[in-house]
Amino acid sequence: MNADDLLQCAVYLAVFLACVKPLGAYMAEIYEGRVPRSARLLSPLERGLYRLCGVDPVEEMSWQGYAAAKLLFNAAGLFALYALQRLQHRLPLNPMKMAAVSPDSSFNTAISFATNTNWQGYGGETTMSYLTQMLGLTVQNFVSAAGGMAVMAALIRGFVRRQSATIGNFWADMIRGVVYILLPLSAVLAVLLVSQGVVQTLRPYAAASMIEIAKDSRGQPPAEQTIALGPAASQIAIKQLGTNGGGFFNANSAHPFENPTPLSNFLEMESLVLIAAALCFTFGKMAGDVRQGWALLAAMTIIFIPLLWLGVASEQGGNPAFAALGVDQRAAPEQAGGNMEGKETRFGIASSAIWAAATTAASNGSVNAMHDSFTPLGGLVPMALIELSEVVYGGVGSGLYGMILYAVVAVFLAGLMVGRTPEYLGKKIESFEMKMASIGILVSPACALLGTAVAAACAAGRAGVSNPGPHGFSEILYAFSSCANNNGSAFAGLSADTPFYNALLGLAMFFGRYWIALPVLAMAGSLARKKSVPESAGTLPTHTPLFVFFLVGIVVMVGALTFFPALALGPIAEHLMMAGRGS
Amino acid sequence: MSRPARARPLLDPAIIFPAAAEAFRKLDPRYQLKNPVMFVVETGSVITTALWLQAVLGRGEMRSGFILAVSLWLWFTVIFANFAEAVAEGRGKAQAATLRQARKETPAKLLAQGRRGEAPVAVPASRLRKGDVVLVEAGDIIPMDGTVIEGVASVNEAAITGESAPVIRESGGDRSSVTGGTTVLSDWIVVRVAVNPGETFLDRMIDMVEGAKRQKTPNEIALSILLAGMTIIFLLATATLLPFSLYSVSRAGHGSPVTVTALIALLVCLIPTTIGGLLAAIGIAGMDRMIQANVIAMSGRAVEAAGDVDVLLLDKTGTITLGNRQAVSLLAAEGVSLESLADAAQLSSLSDETPEGRSIVVLAKERYGLRQRNVHELGARFVPFTAQTRMSGVDLRDGRQIRKGAADAVEAYVKGQGGIFPAEVRAAVERISKEGGTPLAVADRGQVLGVVYLKDIVKGGIRERFAELRRMGIKTVMITGDNPMTAAAIAAEAGVDDFLAEATPEAKLSLIRETQKEGRLVAMAGDGTNDAPALAQADVAVAMNQGTQAAKEAGNMVDLDSNPTKLIEIVEIGKQLLITRGALTTFSVANDVSKYFAIIPAAFATTYPALKALNIMRLATPESAILSAVIFNALIILFLLPLALHGVKYRAVPASRLLRDHVLIYGLGGVLAPFAGIKLIDMILVGLHRA
């Protein structure tokens, strides 16, 4: 890690952390139903949507009602997206005459976008019509993100309310999240991205004459090159901000029309974690004790920084096998040094490794470099961040509620150790909360491990693997970890657009999303019904550095203990073998 | 039960040997199903035993001797956990046996018409039902719990309380309750039976200490859920290793897949067996500690709630102050010598048997050298205290009529005799009240002689206990019938946080309700029938054993020593119970780190030899590595059994400091200790192998 890498990491952290307080405070106002003066401009849109949908925003819902509304809404979105893909050849806005998407791929993509995973088994520019991209994928980008934030808002209300049967109104939370938070931020980002050269057009793909003579797959020189275009900027903005990560083009943010310049790269990278991090402050603010929010943010950042360092340092360190051959891998004015395989020269080592860490920390899953080409430890970092259940910033809303599940477990253990029935934010943590927290924490590792086991055991699963040895195993493990935790990034290398992977990964995404969201809502309902215990000297403080470290310990222990054996057969074995060869 | 529990050593052979036998009986899978963690271990033991048999028959996946060793140690793990539970239960059972001796079949004298006069019918106590009336005479054992409805008797309650000094039981008032199994020493009483057979206090005590009706407490259930969740995670993490390993071997093209024996060993090492094996023992030991403190909790839930108490309501008299006020000084009126005041005060108190009256006699003797006098020579006629006059006193042959009592009563008396109540005496009265004392005016016919200063004596050391409670985050509230001025002065002297003056049963009840509405948990102690509503409302309610049946039924704990100060000890025992659970869970999970470093390289090094680098403990062979981890995992249960039984020591320090210390000891210690332990066992195994 050189001075340049260090500077980039520091600037990266400083910028989004600086945004946490203002953005977090703004979001708290929105979810408490107070629209700040600066956002009044959008109020007619909010009211219009209420009228259009027949929603009474002050009508309160029980947790069951809230959950039912969320599931119903997601199911509708899922079917609509499936239908749109299957019927796109008969619908307008299809200048490139894309055919209907296959049933298994449509199924996978519909779940993927509705669950905010945005795993892509397809290639955007060769599969989807503009209508599918705009009306299907972009819309889901917005609403799946707003859905996660809504669940988070409901959970916060569970902590705040006393002896209440209700936890808010799903439709109001959903609409407010889109109208006041995601829409304005995306609009600003989209314009900035267009200024950097990200395309935004409904025109058909462009054709260009070849300058260099190349040969196509049949050995014939191609007559001309097709350059894919489309309404990309509007989708990319929300893809980054809503921790979605599904690229407009197959190459995702490595594509020059999605991410053309270092500045666009920086903006996209910051927007990856922006909302997820800021929600910590929203949590503290709404809970009436901002220290609680800072504590969770601190816990996330304490896990993030060492992994960020490991990722950047591993990539900058280069490949020990090359070192043995006497290849110069040092950074110098004329070369980036380190492991540049699979990275864009316009981004370099640090921006690629930071992106990899951030996109997996934040459950985003967009990529600007090939994770498959990272060094074993460099590749371990994104995998580890995913396997920590996406609670280090995590998806918008989902990351924080996932972290709160861990906090509940940490509070339980720590509470016992100080000799009291554990309380978090004044609410007693009892067996129902433990049951819900256990389910919520259990689901994604279970999906990831079982999915990997099935794929590794059967021929259809093994067929997709393109690399031998531990690296091939890492590809499968990464794919299932990514889907079960709703990240959506890929190690690539794995040929996943097969009925087998489409179906299995689709199920992993489905369970990984809803079987966490439902226990969280159930917990919110149970917490809302409880009395609030006032604080005393005997109460376990949950904002102190001590508790933060204890929480970090629990998150890391659960993640490490669950995945260490699997990782030992993947990246760890690969690293040790490579290190062994290098020396 | 002459408090044998206090002295019982940890490794009492009378408990250890039956417990060892019980540990094998508990291997019954139907029993193990109750504890998912240990059930998984037992299943693993069965599977490895089968694998061993397979190996003996020649088609084994590993050396048969090694599989046998792993299998045996897995069985030991289950047996050690059973043993831990059996030892804890055994301690309870030993106490129950002592109690049962008091429950032997006693004959009862049933009064069919419920009247004293009729001829009693002899029936066995087991035939008595609630509402029956029995006669108990000197030498009889009281057949059932009940209320005295007629008569007065001295009763030896040693069978219940361990206290051999007899107590008085009489009809009416707060001393009317009697307990089955205790013995009437003198006189007779007529008792109305208050419970049906099997529901007596003694029965409940036996059930409690024996753990026969032990139900999991709410917090224990929550912890069990967490432990079950962890077990599932580790089950998945290890079960999926088999396909992972098969895949890796097929791709690497060399090595052999991980063996089922190694996977089961890994699984058992990872799931929280330490806490899973000790959880029941911790709960039973917590109850046991209550009993050793001579407190009978009616449910485990109550013991647990004790740790959560936020507010402690304490009666002033008997808890904060010594039961009675004492005379500390005399203040004479103008023109009256202190000696003549002392003389009058002493004379008026000679026949006053109240503690206050006696303390006046003592004061007169010690401060003014006045000795006991012959009351017959003085021709004294004593005037007893009545609720109407609110005065007591003495009329002497020489014409003196000395009265002492509350200032306003004496004022009315003096004025009735044509005298006046001097201003300086009134000032003294007010000053004493303000200081928290009780003024007692003394007069002779129309002349006020002065005031006796009676003072509440705050118990020694109580102030420090309250400071300790404050550090624990518990607020103390003093309950007293005194006026607010007196109450405030005593509250300040004792160092309580708040007080409720001029308390009525209704005021007490509403104070508890108010406090609970704020989300706080309230603990209180009480003995009288008028305490019953408040006891029923409080979250932790300790009834005094000498109290009424109503109070005992309303409370969820009974203090056999009838010592209200024990509330503090009860809170500590509750906290200790939770702390022990939390500490051992943390320790158990933290242990897993080292086990990975022992087993993963051992299990997979044939596929990827590079993984040997993870063998940071430098364990000798893959076999010794796996076996060492399994042995450590089994032995740690026995090693921590004393801690589970005694409980982690509780110190009254703020929660943040407690957490820091426990995280360091059980968290960090839990990570580090097994590295040393496993390495040590590995070295011993290697040594044995060579020898």
Side-chain angles (χ1 to χ4, degrees):
Chain A
M1 209 166 176
N2 56 39
D4 176 53
D5 298 332
L6 212 59
L7 182 70
Q8 290 198 45
C9 290
V11 170
Y12 178 68
L13 286 166
V15 169
F16 80 78
L17 289 176
C19 297
V20 162
K21 191 171 170 182
L23 180 59
Y26 170 78
M27 290 192 289
E29 301 259 324
I30 297 298
Y31 284 113
E32 282 174 346
R34 293 191 306 269
V35 179
R37 194 179 297 274
S38 55
R40 296 267 161 84
L41 202 67
L42 295 163
S43 296
L45 180 57
E46 183 197 2
R47 284 195 299 271
L49 282 169
Y50 288 150
R51 215 163 313 143
L52 187 70
C53 308
V55 169
D56 177 6
V58 292
E59 186 192 311
E60 285 284 327
M61 292 177 173
S62 67
W63 81 261
Q64 291 95 336
Y66 202 99
K70 180 178 161 61
L71 290 181
L72 202 70
F73 180 76
N74 276 181
L78 211 145
F79 284 118
L81 184 51
Y82 181 83
L84 211 51
Q85 292 177 79
R86 300 285 296 136
L87 300 172
Q88 66 174 4
H89 56 292
R90 300 191 188 168
L91 296 170
L93 274 177
N94 187 3
M96 299 315 294
K97 308 275 176 280
M98 299 288 182
V101 185
S102 72
D104 59 297
S105 178
S106 299
F107 165 79
N108 182 285
T109 305
I111 291 187
S112 173
F113 277 73
T115 58
N116 196 256
T117 311
N118 309 59
W119 166 270
Q120 291 170 295
Y122 64 93
E125 62 270 44
T126 53
T127 319
M128 301 296 179
S129 75
Y130 287 172
L131 185 77
T132 311
Q133 293 267 28
M134 289 163 68
L135 195 63
L137 304 182
T138 307
V139 167
Q140 286 302 322
N141 270 341
F142 274 100
V143 295
S144 67
M149 288 155 69
V151 172
M152 183 62 233
L155 178 59
I156 299 176
R157 290 192 197 106
F159 281 108
V160 175
R161 293 187 177 178
R162 292 169 190 190
Q163 293 174 294
S164 158
T166 59
I167 54 173
N169 181 311
F170 173 75
W171 308 112
D173 286 342
M174 184 81 198
I175 288 170
R176 284 181 187 145
V178 171
V179 169
Y180 292 111
I181 300 169
L182 297 175
L183 217 48
L185 283 174
S186 299
V188 171
L189 183 63
V191 170
L192 288 172
L193 289 177
V194 167
S195 81
Q196 293 301 302
V198 177
V199 295
Q200 177 76 9
T201 175
L202 292 177
R203 279 205 311 242
Y205 295 174
S209 340
M210 304 293 287
I211 298 171
E212 266 182 72
I213 299 303
K215 285 190 174 123
D216 66 12
S217 51
R218 284 162 308 205
Q220 303 293 316
E224 58 181 16
Q225 189 181 6
T226 304
I227 297 174
L229 300 172
S234 55
Q235 185 176 333
I236 291 158
I238 183 62
K239 152 195 137 184
Q240 296 302 99
L241 284 164
T243 57
N244 293 286
F248 192 89
F249 303 108
N250 195 22
N252 210 311
S253 282
H255 194 291
F257 285 174
E258 271 202 51
N259 189 7
T261 66
L263 179 61
S264 71
N265 187 67
F266 181 75
L267 292 171
E268 290 185 16
M269 221 158 62
E270 292 291 353
S271 38
L272 276 177
V273 291
L274 185 66
I275 295 179
L279 275 170
C280 293
F281 188 82
T282 309
F283 167 68
K285 181 103 178 156
M286 286 175 76
D289 182 359
V290 290
R291 296 173 309 176
Q292 304 292 344
W294 289 121
L296 293 186
L297 184 68
M300 293 173 176
T301 309
I302 287 169
I303 300 173
F304 183 61
I305 289 177
L307 285 167
L308 179 67
W309 172 83
L310 179 65
V312 176
S314 301
E315 291 311 298
Q316 191 67 61
N319 186 336
F322 285 172
L325 296 171
V327 176
D328 180 13
Q329 299 185 80
R330 280 172 306 176
E334 62 281 0
Q335 67 168 18
N339 172 33
M340 272 303 284
E341 184 194 312
K343 295 185 181 63
E344 296 292 306
T345 47
R346 66 184 185 282
F347 306 139
I349 299 277
S351 280
S352 302
I354 295 173
W355 185 298
T359 194
T360 47
S363 179
N364 185 293
S366 62
V367 289
N368 75 347
M370 192 75 160
H371 292 179
D372 199 28
S373 297
F374 277 27
T375 59
L377 289 184
L380 174 74
V381 167
M383 204 165 347
L385 280 163
I386 290 172
E387 286 163 358
L388 291 177
S389 299
E390 290 296 359
V391 296
V392 177
Y393 310 123
V396 290
S398 62
L400 187 57
Y401 66 63
M403 186 52 122
I404 290 175
L405 293 181
Y406 278 97
V408 163
V409 171
V411 161
F412 184 76
L413 283 181
L416 286 185
M417 281 200 285
V418 302
R420 268 174 82 96
T421 299
E423 295 147 18
Y424 190 41
L425 299 172
K427 294 298 178 90
K428 277 199 173 2
I429 303 301
E430 291 165 300
S431 56
F432 185 77
E433 284 70 30
M434 280 324 285
K435 208 179 284 177
M436 293 305 116
S438 296
I439 294 173
I441 289 175
L442 198 73
V443 165
S444 43
C447 290
L449 288 171
L450 287 174
T452 309
V454 171
C458 68
R462 291 180 179 204
V465 178
S466 63
N467 276 286
H471 197 83
F473 178 73
S474 298
E475 289 173 355
I476 306 178
L477 181 62
Y478 193 107
F480 280 97
S481 301
S482 173
C483 284
N485 288 293
N486 302 122
N487 181 278
S489 70
F491 221 34
L494 186 70
S495 312
D497 192 10
T498 63
F500 173 82
Y501 277 110
N502 274 333
L504 210 55
L505 291 171
L507 290 176
M509 291 187 273
F510 187 82
F511 288 116
R513 178 74 167 187
Y514 297 111
W515 280 104
I516 299 177
L518 285 181
V520 165
L521 285 175
M523 187 192 279
S526 152
L527 289 171
R529 274 195 297 275
K530 291 176 194 241
K531 290 185 207 168
S532 182
V533 184
E535 211 173 307
S536 78
T539 311
L540 170 84
T542 52
H543 61 267
T544 58
L546 180 67
F547 181 77
V548 168
F549 277 103
F550 189 69
L551 174 59
V552 167
I554 296 282
V555 173
V556 172
M557 282 287 270
V558 172
L561 292 176
T562 314
F563 285 100
F564 185 80
L567 290 174
L569 293 176
I572 295 175
E574 191 189 355
H575 169 75
L576 293 171
M577 286 158 77
M578 197 167 86
R581 262 204 299 279
S583 58
Chain B
M1 192 180 77
S2 55
R3 308 191 193 188
R6 269 189 222 285
R8 183 164 290 136
L10 193 64
L11 296 177
D12 186 346
I15 289 172
I16 295 294
F17 291 115
E22 184 66 21
F24 283 90
R25 265 197 295 282
K26 282 178 192 250
L27 285 175
D28 185 339
R30 282 167 302 184
Y31 185 83
Q32 292 296 326
L33 255 179
K34 284 185 210 161
N35 182 343
V37 180
M38 294 323 290
F39 183 72
V40 168
V41 182
E42 190 169 64
T43 311
S45 314
V46 172
I47 296 173
T48 47
T49 309
L51 288 170
W52 168 66
L53 287 174
Q54 190 193 30
V56 170
L57 298 174
R59 290 190 306 277
E61 54 170 17
M62 292 179 102
R63 221 161 44 79
S64 67
F66 172 71
I67 300 178
L68 178 65
V70 170
S71 180
L72 282 178
W73 278 101
L74 295 187
W75 281 114
F76 283 143
T77 311
V78 186
I79 290 167
F80 290 165
N82 289 345
F83 177 72
E85 196 178 326
V87 167
E89 283 171 353
R91 291 160 73 83
K93 276 192 188 126
Q95 277 165 342
T98 332
L99 286 174
R100 259 208 199 88
Q101 289 168 5
R103 203 178 56 171
K104 53 186 179 268
E105 189 64 75
T106 41
K109 297 170 180 169
L110 179 69
L111 300 173
Q113 305 300 317
R115 281 196 306 272
R116 158 85 178 131
E118 67 181 288
V121 188
V123 296
S126 57
R127 295 263 301 280
L128 293 176
R129 290 292 176 274
K130 195 170 170 178
D132 285 347
V133 176
V134 293
L135 172 70
V136 192
E137 291 167 306
D140 292 350
I141 293 175
I142 298 174
M144 282 285 219
D145 294 1
T147 308
V148 180
I149 52 174
E150 204 182 333
V152 55
S154 64
V155 179
N156 178 353
E157 295 194 337
I160 302 289
T161 63
E163 179 63 60
S164 54
V167 292
I168 300 297
R169 294 288 175 229
E170 60 193 343
S171 61
D174 288 348
R175 288 164 181 266
S176 62
S177 118
V178 288
T179 310
T182 55
T183 313
V184 170
L185 294 179
S186 67
D187 307 291
W188 55 267
I189 44 178
V190 176
V191 175
R192 173 170 290 123
V193 174
V195 293
N196 286 321
E199 299 167 1
T200 65
F201 185 61
L202 204 58
D203 289 323
R204 282 192 285 176
M205 252 174 100
I206 291 170
D207 280 353
M208 225 60 242
V209 294
E210 231 178 10
K213 284 194 186 155
R214 211 180 85 82
Q215 283 177 331
K216 281 189 178 175
T217 55
N219 178 270
E220 205 176 350
I221 293 171
L223 181 57
S224 302
I225 290 169
L226 182 66
L227 297 181
M230 286 180 185
T231 307
I232 296 172
I233 289 191
F234 290 128
L235 197 58
L236 284 169
T238 44
T240 52
L241 270 181
L242 191 60
F244 294 175
S245 169
L246 288 167
Y247 173 89
S248 300
V249 169
S250 76
R251 292 289 159 143
H254 55 80
S256 48
V258 65
T259 59
V260 176
T261 309
L263 280 183
I264 290 176
L266 178 61
L267 173 64
V268 171
C269 286
L270 292 181
I271 60 176
T273 47
T274 314
I275 179 69
L278 293 173
L279 190 58
I282 294 170
I284 299 168
M287 290 292 246
D288 194 46
R289 276 196 296 281
M290 278 290 183
I291 292 160
Q292 284 174 45
N294 252 3
V295 175
I296 305 298
M298 295 305 164
S299 69
R301 189 186 280 258
V303 179
E304 215 167 65
D308 290 347
V309 163
D310 302 287
V311 178
L312 220 50
L313 301 189
L314 298 164
D315 274 329
K316 183 198 78 176
T317 309
T319 310
I320 294 169
T321 60
L322 295 173
N324 33 58
R325 289 170 243 234
Q326 290 182 3
V328 289
S329 64
L330 301 175
L331 302 156
E334 240 174 54
V336 180
S337 72
L338 269 174
E339 282 70 26
S340 54
L341 172 61
D343 178 60
Q346 190 220 34
L347 282 171
S348 67
S349 305
L350 280 177
S351 75
D352 185 353
E353 281 301 312
T354 62
E356 288 83 359
R358 264 176 288 174
S359 79
I360 293 174
V361 177
V362 169
L363 181 78
K365 180 178 169 194
E366 287 180 352
R367 191 83 60 82
Y368 304 100
L370 298 174
R371 284 179 300 147
Q372 285 276 21
R373 278 173 286 187
N374 191 330
V375 287
H376 293 294
E377 284 173 16
L378 295 164
R381 192 181 63 81
F382 291 101
V383 181
F385 178 89
T386 67
Q388 283 75 41
T389 60
R390 291 189 292 139
M391 290 188 302
S392 63
V394 61
D395 292 344
L396 299 177
R397 198 181 296 143
D398 61 8
R400 283 197 280 169
Q401 288 183 9
I402 304 169
R403 294 288 180 276
K404 71 171 199 297
D408 51 341
V410 171
E411 183 176 354
Y413 170 74
V414 170
K415 284 185 176 157
Q417 304 268 343
I420 52 148
F421 199 79
E424 82 277 358
V425 175
R426 192 184 307 280
V429 163
E430 272 166 24
R431 187 173 61 78
I432 292 170
S433 296
K434 218 171 274 175
E435 287 171 5
T438 307
L440 217 54
V442 182
D444 181 356
R445 285 181 182 270
Q447 190 194 11
V448 177
L449 298 174
V451 187
V452 180
Y453 189 155
L454 290 176
K455 202 173 172 189
D456 262 318
I457 306 297
V458 172
K459 280 185 177 174
I462 199 90
R463 208 186 157 83
E464 288 69 33
R465 296 304 295 266
F466 290 150
E468 206 173 274
L469 285 168
R470 200 167 303 119
R471 282 198 298 276
M472 288 158 72
I474 296 171
K475 188 178 152 190
T476 45
V477 180
M478 181 181 85
I479 309 284
T480 172
D482 293 344
N483 63 55
M485 213 194 285
T486 311
I490 297 169
E493 192 184 342
V496 294
D497 297 308
D498 204 350
F499 63 86
L500 176 69
E502 288 167 356
T504 58
E506 295 76 37
K508 231 192 247 189
L509 187 61
S510 72
L511 174 68
I512 296 177
R513 288 210 174 118
E514 287 300 307
T515 315
Q516 286 173 334
K517 212 174 274 170
E518 291 166 19
R520 295 176 202 272
L521 244 63
V522 182
M524 71 166 286
D527 54 1
T529 302
N530 59 8
D531 285 330
L535 282 170
Q537 180 71 29
D539 301 282
V540 174
V542 184
M544 301 294 107
N545 186 52
Q546 66 183 22
T548 60
Q549 191 69 29
K552 280 197 224 173
E553 270 169 20
N556 50 17
M557 292 189 195
V558 175
D559 179 21
L560 300 176
D561 296 339
S562 301
N563 170 12
T565 320
K566 209 179 270 173
L567 266 178
I568 299 168
E569 213 172 311
I570 290 171
V571 168
E572 286 181 354
I573 292 173
K575 286 194 179 293
Q576 207 182 13
L577 176 69
L578 296 182
I579 292 175
T580 310
R581 273 187 207 145
L584 289 183
T585 308
T586 307
F587 186 83
S588 194
V589 177
N591 269 207
D592 285 357
V593 177
S594 63
K595 292 167 187 167
Y596 269 136
F597 283 100
I599 296 182
I600 295 288
F604 296 108
T606 63
T607 319
Y608 297 125
L611 285 177
K612 280 181 187 153
L614 295 178
N615 181 9
I616 53 175
M617 283 175 271
R618 300 276 158 248
L619 304 177
T621 63
E623 288 191 354
S624 75
I626 293 173
L627 204 53
S628 306
V630 173
I631 294 175
F632 177 84
N633 194 54
L635 289 181
I636 196 74
I637 295 179
L638 281 191
F639 195 72
L640 292 176
L641 178 58
L643 184 68
L645 293 181
H646 282 315
V648 173
K649 200 165 154 40
Y650 176 75
R651 289 164 307 133
V653 294
S656 49
R657 240 188 83 194
L658 215 51
L659 178 64
R660 186 196 66 196
D661 296 352
H662 290 154
V663 166
L664 282 179
I665 299 170
Y666 299 100
L668 198 60
V671 171
L672 298 178
F675 278 103
I678 291 174
K679 177 69 186 169
L680 186 69
I681 295 171
D682 184 70
M683 284 158 65
I684 294 171
L685 286 180
V686 170
L688 287 176
H689 196 68
R690 287 216 188 97

